[in-house]
Amino acid sequence: EETVKAHPAEDGWKLFVFTHAPPNGSGLRVLQENHVVNGCCWLNHSNENECRKFIELVREHRCIKAWFSGHFHLGQDYQDSITFPTIDPKDGPYPNRGSCVFAQTSVMRKGTSRDTRQQSRLIRGNKDGFEICTVDHKDGGSVRVDATISYRGDNNEVGVYAHDDVAYKHDNFFKVYAPCAGDDLHEPDDGLVQYEDEMIMDKPITKETVAWWYMDCGRVLGMLNGMLIEYDKSTLAPLGLVVGADELLGKRIAVIESGEDAGCAVSFEEGMEGADCSEAVEAKEQAVLLIDDENGAVTVVQPNEDGSYWRKIVRNKMIRMKEVRRERAAKALASALMTDKEAQVVSSWGPYVGTSGTAKKTGVPGVTTNIANGASA
């Protein structure tokens, strides 16, 4: 933040940023079956304010002209592996990405690629701006121009794709639906569900269900491949899994009011006697429900203590790496101390029950899912 403040666009500065993961709001393609459900798409993803901070800096400081990232192990043949700060109004709403182009960077080694691509980026500057190119390591290092970026003064730039989406026809399964709220020139997309006091879906959820809505507090929930996902309220980028398909498919969703009437709520609980009076109610308290018409069960989807809904069911990768190093160190010491037997090393945690880095289910057998159906948490 201090760096961009000290190098303003008005003084002619043009900053290029390189990070492992992209920032929330970049608009780059993400993997729903991995990074979305596990809440590890974006920089500082696990901290809501820090996660959104990067795109806020991009919007405020137009000296940031390009941001390159990797993380997803996806190739560069998708058109949304590069996103522009502005687009033609006929193509959609204003993306609100400052004066910065974002570019996904692939991998060079075969064993680490998710989609068989082995590519890297080449940036070529010119008198008007710069080109973003692909180096294809499966094709002897051939170079392809993907986009041309032209500066329009100090505070704006315009991007033009050099070719269509090379991977569009055969790689649709990687595409993640993202809600679109529209702008002054465009209506929200057809998936937006608008309601006043309550929302009760008419039909059970399927893998094809497309719907999203705002909670009264401003948070955004929506459907993706039979899963309930929370989206960032500013960028509408996916944040993480709320309810897995194992728990949700075949059920209906309802959003209803659940709070006390405005005014004073009187408590008679011992030690809590008296009236709790609020001068102003910022947002209605609401409950998100899963309705199972077949067996009459209703599940309340409780938010986290901070008000968010997406489940932090996978710990930070850096924390897990440290745990592995501690176990390795413990095993080395145990082996040195117990030369006459094989050392046995185990770990204990707080509320965690495992070390898995992937979580795709939220159902609790016998509670929110049916054990008879073979569901598991």
Side-chain angles (χ1 to χ4, degrees):
E1 184 173 3
E2 294 303 318
T3 298
V4 296
K5 285 181 178 179
H7 299 82
E10 291 75 15
D11 290 349
W13 288 101
K14 296 174 175 56
L15 276 60
F16 284 39
V17 182
F18 302 85
T19 57
H20 174 79
N24 173 349
S26 63
L28 297 175
R29 176 174 299 228
V30 297
L31 285 170
Q32 69 269 23
E33 293 298 331
N34 189 320
H35 299 103
V36 173
V37 298
N38 290 317
C40 60
C41 295
W42 320 116
L43 286 170
N44 290 9
H45 194 140
S46 59
N47 184 300
E48 182 174 353
N49 292 330
E50 291 181 6
C51 183
R52 196 180 300 122
K53 179 68 173 179
F54 299 104
I55 194 65
E56 291 173 348
L57 288 174
V58 168
R59 291 168 175 172
E60 181 181 358
H61 300 280
R62 291 186 170 251
C63 58
I64 305 175
K65 298 301 182 184
W67 195 307
F68 294 84
S69 59
H71 185 49
F72 299 135
H73 293 235
L74 286 175
Q76 299 163 190
D77 293 342
Y78 316 94
Q79 199 167 81
D80 57 356
S81 68
I82 298 176
T83 59
F84 298 143
T86 58
I87 60 176
D88 192 314
K90 70 177 177 58
D91 295 327
Y94 175 62
N96 198 15
R97 292 191 281 261
S99 181
C100 179
V101 57
F102 292 91
Q104 155 76 15
T105 303
S106 183
V107 295
M108 298 170 63
R109 187 169 67 84
K110 179 180 179 181
T112 59
S113 175
R114 294 184 186 275
D115 55 7
T116 75
R117 275 79 168 172
Q118 294 173 243
Q119 300 165 324
S120 58
R121 289 292 186 194
L122 173 67
I123 309 168
R124 295 194 296 213
N126 54 50
K127 63 181 181 62
D128 299 315
F130 58 97
E131 293 177 336
I132 300 176
C133 307
T134 285
V135 179
D136 190 339
H137 300 280
K138 290 176 66 176
D139 188 32
S142 61
V143 176
R144 178 190 71 205
V145 177
D146 292 329
T148 300
I149 315 301
S150 301
Y151 300 131
R152 295 289 187 266
D154 294 326
N155 292 312
N156 294 285
E157 62 186 24
V158 176
V160 177
Y161 292 113
H163 54 80
D164 292 330
D165 192 331
V166 176
Y168 182 78
K169 291 183 179 179
H170 55 280
D171 283 327
N172 275 343
F173 63 93
F174 277 121
K175 185 69 174 177
V176 174
Y177 165 74
C180 178
D183 58 17
D184 291 341
L185 300 177
H186 304 84
E187 294 291 326
D189 70 42
D190 293 338
L192 175 61
V193 179
Q194 303 191 54
Y195 63 97
E196 301 223 354
D197 296 326
E198 65 179 26
M199 176 196 78
I200 303 177
M201 289 190 172
D202 296 328
K203 298 179 180 179
I205 301 301
T206 69
K207 290 236 176 186
E208 288 70 43
T209 301
V210 175
W212 65 280
W213 60 91
Y214 290 97
M215 301 295 289
D216 199 66
C217 60
R219 295 190 178 275
V220 180
L221 301 179
M223 306 305 306
L224 175 67
N225 290 348
M227 301 177 288
L228 183 61
I229 301 291
E230 182 170 0
Y231 294 90
D232 183 88
K233 58 187 176 183
S234 172
T235 65
L236 294 182
L239 291 178
L241 178 68
V242 180
V243 180
D246 65 308
E247 187 179 357
L248 185 56
L249 290 176
K251 298 183 177 72
R252 293 187 293 144
I253 291 179
V255 178
I256 62 174
E257 292 189 28
S258 60
E260 299 284 348
D261 292 336
C264 297
V266 180
S267 173
F268 298 97
E269 181 181 349
E270 185 177 350
M272 299 291 290
E273 297 89 351
D276 182 13
C277 299
S278 175
E279 294 181 359
V281 179
E282 294 184 359
K284 291 182 293 188
E285 184 179 289
Q286 295 175 300
V288 178
L289 311 178
L290 310 182
I291 302 172
D292 190 332
D293 294 301
E294 186 172 332
N295 62 22
V298 176
T299 301
V300 180
V301 181
Q302 301 285 7
N304 303 310
E305 290 185 5
D306 63 0
S308 66
Y309 280 85
W310 70 277
R311 304 319 193 193
K312 285 76 171 176
I313 47 182
V314 175
R315 286 166 294 160
N316 182 281
K317 184 182 290 186
M318 293 302 297
I319 299 299
R320 288 189 279 115
M321 289 173 61
K322 290 179 181 179
E323 289 176 350
V324 171
R325 291 199 293 268
R326 294 187 190 106
E327 291 176 351
R328 191 183 303 128
K331 189 163 187 176
L333 175 63
S335 298
L337 295 176
M338 306 172 192
T339 56
D340 60 335
K341 63 185 72 173
E342 183 179 355
Q344 300 293 325
V345 175
V346 296
S347 289
S348 66
W349 299 269
Y352 301 108
V353 295
T355 61
S356 173
T358 299
K360 296 184 179 180
K361 297 181 179 180
T362 59
V364 179
V367 180
T368 62
T369 58
N370 191 340
I371 292 180
N373 291 336
S376 61

